[in-house]
């Protein structure tokens, strides 16, 4: 049997696209094996959000032929899109596909087999206008389904390379989303996660439909229990949107609201179109309309010109908003972005110091948030069994472990929370 192995770097959209490609291979008679195993084809879905993404992508592209020197190595995704020549210069790489035409991967492999010449299929993503349809029938994860409903970004934050890697905003058709979710629910999925490169831009290209419209429509689907959305910006949470969303009972009260910096001057240089006051207001409104809401965020430290004082303002702002968890990134200059032409003023050592400080704060707040729920009774959607515990998540995305004599995988169960241990809550069935 023909074998294919995948390795995915980066975001949820990449994970979705890998699964969609895996299904194409399966339907063509391939067996999917682990990346460290012997395979005929290795597909590496790359990432370029920071230079670490590039580096890891290159490492994985070089690893495949050490397992099978006769394999075909395919580089796909964002790093391949923005640096096709760099990727092509790696001897081991045979086929290069960017962020479009991933659904043609099997055709490209056939084409390669005929000539055995390195094949570069990367095209100008900035002129692509259509959303590339790739459907997934069954996910490896049996309880929740990620659904990519949007691609591209037209925000051009000054540090970010992704608009160049993903191209303009493109959205999956409204009716197609509803149909696909209905199908997934019929197949037993209880939770849907709506993802995209900039998911809040959903519908901009379609004209008369928004992400809120999608959520309202999905909220009506019988059998669907939970809806989650990927990362959004504060400007999405206008009071009007918050009120409409708070009437969607299935929408889970966990939001990832990217802040990037808690200093207004830095935000301006980052080309982020909000102030810390506006961010704070969005968070407070969410807290009013969504009981027990958990809000997480992304922060970049060491952006060019971030002085000690600017960093301290970020730190103080984070103490004021007290979010559940911070994902901290050290600024990495990306060639082709506006910020890449700014002089770097923060040393690697200082970036490390600032990052550590924020991670400490994050750990403290995460623990505090978790502990707030001790003695409460919460619903968890059970995903898997590990050792003697069933593990699942609450609507506000707290990880909970519970013992049960019956197999409760895939079920929503009511749990009384007892303690916080090893980064999760432990409870018992009620
Ligand atoms: N350097 C560091 N972090 C970055 N991110 C995006 N671009 C960069 C960069 N050049 C971070 C942002 C974004 C997350 C996905 O990656 O915080 O929200």
């Amino acid at each position: 049997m023909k074998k294919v192995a995948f390795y995915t770097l980066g975001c949820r959209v990449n994970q979705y696209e890998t699964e969609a490609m895996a299904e194409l291979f399966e339907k063509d008679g391939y067996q999917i094996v682990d990346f460290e195993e012997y395979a005929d084809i290795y597909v590496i879905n790359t990432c370029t959000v920071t230079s670490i993404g590039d580096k890891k992508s290159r490492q994985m592209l070089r690893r495949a032929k050490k397992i099978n020197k006769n394999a075909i190595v395919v580089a796909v995704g964002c790093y391949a899109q923005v640096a096709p020549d760099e990727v092509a210069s790696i001897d081991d790489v045979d086929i290069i596909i960017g962020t479009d035409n991933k659904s043609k991967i099997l055709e490209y492999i056939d084409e390669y087999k005929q000539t055995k010449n390195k094949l570069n299929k990367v095209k100008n993503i900035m002129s692509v206008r259509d959303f590339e349809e790739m459907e997934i029938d069954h996910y490896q994860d049996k309880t929740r389904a990620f659904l990519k409903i949007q691609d591209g970004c037209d925000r051009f934050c000054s540090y970010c390379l992704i608009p160049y890697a993903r191209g303009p905003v493109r959205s999956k058709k409204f009716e197609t989303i509803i149909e696909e979710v209905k199908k997934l629910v019929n197949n037993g999925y209880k939770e849907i996660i709506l993802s995209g490169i900039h998911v809040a831009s959903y519908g901009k290209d379609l004209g008369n439909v928004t992400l809120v419209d999608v959520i309202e429509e999905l909220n009506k689907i019988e059998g669907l229990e939970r809806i989650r959305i990927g990362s959004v910006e504060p400007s999405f949470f206008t009071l009007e949107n918050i009120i409409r969303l708070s009437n969607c009972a299935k929408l889970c009260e966990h939001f990832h609201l990217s802040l990037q910096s808690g200093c207004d001057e830095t935000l301006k240089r980052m080309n982020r179109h909000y102030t810390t006051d506006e961010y704070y207001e969005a968070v407070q409104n969410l807290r009013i309309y969504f009981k027990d809401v958990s809000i997480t965020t992304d922060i970049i430290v060491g952006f060019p010109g971030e002085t000690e004082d600017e960093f301290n303002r970020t730190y103080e702002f984070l103490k004021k908003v007290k979010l559940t968890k911070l994902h901290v990134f050290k600024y990495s200059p990306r060639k082709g972005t506006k910020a890449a032409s700014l002089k770097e003023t923060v040393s690697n050592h200082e970036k490390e110091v600032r990052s550590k400080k924020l991670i400490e704060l994050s750990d403290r707040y995460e623990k505090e948030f978790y502990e707030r729920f001790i003695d409460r009774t919460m619903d968890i959607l059970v995903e898997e069994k590990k050792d003697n515990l069933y593990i699942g998540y609450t609507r506000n995305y707290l990880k909970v472990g519970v013992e049960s004599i019956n197999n409760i995988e895939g079920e929503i169960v009511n749990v009384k929370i007892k303690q916080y241990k090893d980064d999760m809550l432990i409870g018992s069935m009620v």
Side-chain angles (χ1 to χ4, degrees):
M1 202 177 187
K2 302 180 285 185
K3 289 181 177 171
V4 59
F6 293 88
Y7 193 90
T8 310
L9 293 114
C11 64
R12 281 174 174 179
V13 173
N14 261 15
Q15 283 162 28
Y16 176 89
E17 289 167 343
T18 297
E19 287 212 34
M21 285 187 286
E23 262 192 36
L24 295 175
F25 279 91
E26 264 181 332
K27 285 183 182 143
D28 200 47
Y30 280 84
Q31 184 192 351
I32 295 165
V33 298
D34 283 347
F35 196 79
E36 299 302 329
E37 282 181 39
Y38 186 96
D40 305 288
I41 312 231
Y42 291 90
V43 180
I44 294 96
N45 201 352
T46 62
C47 170
T48 195
V49 75
T50 64
S51 62
I52 299 171
D54 292 358
K55 196 172 147 200
K56 282 196 187 151
S57 301
R58 283 194 300 268
Q59 275 170 1
M60 297 318 291
L61 288 166
R62 290 202 181 95
R63 188 174 297 178
K65 280 200 178 153
K66 296 200 172 71
I67 310 166
N68 173 12
K69 68 177 181 9
N70 296 318
I72 297 174
V73 175
V74 191
V76 197
C78 290
Y79 175 49
Q81 177 69 45
V82 297
D85 297 336
E86 212 170 288
V87 173
S89 73
I90 302 173
D91 281 346
D92 288 357
V93 175
D94 301 307
I95 304 173
I96 306 140
I97 306 174
T99 49
D100 202 30
N101 289 332
K102 288 175 179 171
S103 51
K104 293 194 180 145
I105 188 164
L106 292 171
E107 291 167 42
Y108 294 157
I109 288 170
D110 284 342
E111 191 180 330
Y112 172 80
K113 279 181 181 164
Q114 280 162 24
T115 62
K116 294 274 164 77
N117 289 333
K118 207 180 273 259
L119 212 56
N120 181 349
K121 290 289 180 182
V122 177
K123 63 178 196 189
N124 177 10
I125 196 71
M126 301 318 269
S127 59
V128 175
R129 290 288 175 272
D130 295 326
F131 182 82
E132 187 181 15
E133 284 297 341
M134 292 184 92
E135 203 188 332
I136 301 179
D137 297 334
H138 61 274
Y139 291 76
Q140 275 166 30
D141 195 327
K142 286 186 235 67
T143 47
R144 47 170 155 164
F146 289 93
L147 192 65
K148 175 186 160 192
I149 62 166
Q150 183 276 342
D151 205 339
C153 182
D154 58 9
R155 287 297 163 126
F156 293 94
C157 298
S158 66
Y159 51 81
C160 191
L161 193 53
I162 300 310
Y164 307 92
R166 286 283 176 172
V169 171
R170 286 153 283 153
S171 309
K172 197 180 186 87
K173 283 204 193 68
F174 184 80
E175 294 76 20
T176 318
I177 298 175
I178 309 305
E179 264 167 47
E180 278 186 32
V181 172
K182 281 184 181 162
K183 228 173 7 182
L184 287 165
V185 170
N186 280 336
N187 287 341
Y189 291 96
K190 294 193 169 80
E191 181 172 315
I192 298 290
I193 301 152
L194 300 173
S195 27
I197 294 297
H198 189 260
V199 75
S201 295
Y202 175 83
K204 253 183 138 175
D205 53 327
L206 301 176
N208 49 7
V209 58
T210 67
L211 180 61
V212 180
D213 297 328
V214 174
I215 294 166
E216 282 179 339
E217 197 59 30
L218 293 181
N219 193 55
K220 298 177 192 157
I221 296 179
E222 212 175 305
L224 180 63
E225 304 280 349
R226 292 178 171 190
I227 305 166
R228 294 187 191 278
I229 51 174
S231 178
V232 290
E233 298 173 35
S235 51
F236 171 69
F237 286 119
T238 58
L239 189 56
E240 190 203 334
N241 276 351
I242 290 178
I243 292 171
R244 281 176 67 189
L245 291 171
S246 68
N247 289 318
C248 300
K250 292 173 185 178
L251 180 65
C252 291
E253 38 288 308
H254 169 230
F255 302 107
H256 190 78
L257 200 54
S258 287
L259 175 64
Q260 311 299 3
S261 166
C263 162
D264 288 331
E265 286 74 29
T266 317
L267 283 174
K268 248 195 200 132
R269 294 202 303 282
M270 288 178 161
N271 197 28
R272 301 282 293 175
H273 298 279
Y274 53 85
T275 62
T276 49
D277 281 348
E278 285 160 353
Y279 186 94
Y280 190 73
E281 193 185 328
V283 168
Q284 292 306 83
N285 283 333
L286 287 170
R287 285 175 173 155
I288 292 168
Y289 285 91
F290 291 87
K291 185 174 172 273
D292 297 332
V293 69
S294 171
I295 300 166
T296 52
T297 201
D298 286 353
I299 302 278
I300 297 175
V301 294
F303 186 78
E306 186 189 65
T307 59
E308 185 89 35
D309 174 59
E310 287 196 355
F311 172 73
N312 286 338
R313 270 186 276 164
T314 290
Y315 193 78
E316 289 308 313
F317 182 72
L318 289 168
K319 280 189 1 201
K320 180 172 140 191
V321 278
K322 259 191 136 189
L323 306 174
T324 308
K325 191 182 174 125
L326 319 170
H327 295 261
V328 185
F329 294 81
K330 285 175 248 170
Y331 172 70
S332 160
R334 310 307 289 137
K335 216 170 128 201
T337 62
K338 219 173 144 213
S341 61
L342 302 173
K343 192 172 169 294
E344 277 219 73
T345 55
V346 186
S347 68
N348 285 338
H349 172 74
E350 187 56 29
K351 282 181 196 168
E352 189 63 44
V353 171
R354 292 180 188 179
S355 163
K356 269 208 178 119
K357 244 182 126 172
L358 295 191
I359 292 169
E360 266 169 36
L361 194 68
S362 173
D363 288 346
R364 182 143 48 96
Y365 288 162
E366 193 179 12
K367 182 167 181 282
E368 271 178 39
F369 190 79
Y370 264 82
E371 285 175 346
R372 257 173 48 189
F373 294 90
I374 292 175
D375 291 332
R376 290 268 303 271
T377 301
M378 325 257 312
D379 278 344
I380 69 164
L381 172 55
V382 180
E383 295 194 353
E384 56 173 350
K385 191 178 182 190
K386 257 196 193 148
D387 303 324
N388 61 338
L389 282 182
Y390 284 94
I391 312 278
Y393 288 86
T394 60
R395 287 174 52 105
N396 61 354
Y397 212 62
L398 301 169
K399 190 176 176 182
V400 181
V402 63
E403 277 183 38
S404 164
I405 10 172
N406 302 319
N407 181 358
I408 50 171
E409 252 173 80
E411 285 178 32
I412 294 179
V413 293
N414 215 226
V415 173
K416 168 104 188 214
I417 307 295
K418 296 274 160 68
Q419 56 166 328
Y420 178 65
K421 196 179 151 210
D422 302 331
D423 298 328
M424 67 173 177
L425 294 168
I426 306 291
S428 58
M429 301 266 284
V430 288

